[in-house]
Amino acid sequence: GYEWFEKAAEQGNVHGMCVCGLELLAGVLVEQDTERGLSYLYYAVQNGNAEEKSVALGELGFVYEQGFGVEVDEMKAQYYYSKKKELEKQ
């Protein structure tokens, strides 16, 4: 469950960070913590390999597009989606 992803995230595993970030934003399996959830996703963008960064950027786009634990922000969503596309072109 969630606790294994959290242990992985705490050890620097970017996939674990992405899962934990979304779970914390959703607040279903764990108590919602928007700030911590976003920090996991931002950390994944900064520290992941190209594939991991791409996944994290897509998740950030989704989060802001859908208002997933945050206010809907179409400009932020498009920013993260465009960063994901730029990264994938490299």
Side-chain angles (χ1 to χ4, degrees), residues 10-86:
E10 289 170 357
Q11 294 177 13
N13 179 280
V14 175
H15 176 69
M17 289 177 194
C18 289
V19 170
C20 287
L22 290 176
E23 290 297 338
L24 287 163
L25 288 164
V28 175
L29 297 177
V30 296
E31 186 176 338
Q32 186 176 34
D33 186 337
T34 302
E35 185 177 327
R36 196 162 149 233
L38 288 173
S39 70
Y40 270 130
L41 293 176
Y42 293 139
Y43 188 90
V45 168
Q46 295 297 316
N47 297 286
N49 62 34
E51 184 179 334
E52 293 165 336
K53 286 180 182 185
S54 178
V55 168
L57 287 165
E59 289 177 351
L60 281 165
F62 167 80
V63 161
Y64 283 105
E65 179 181 49
Q66 299 297 315
F68 195 72
V70 297
E71 291 289 321
V72 171
D73 189 327
E74 207 40 57
M75 289 185 69
K76 281 186 180 179
Q78 290 309 311
Y79 170 80
Y80 290 117
Y81 286 142
S82 69
K83 287 292 184 187
K84 176 180 172 63
K85 287 178 186 171
E86 285 175 25

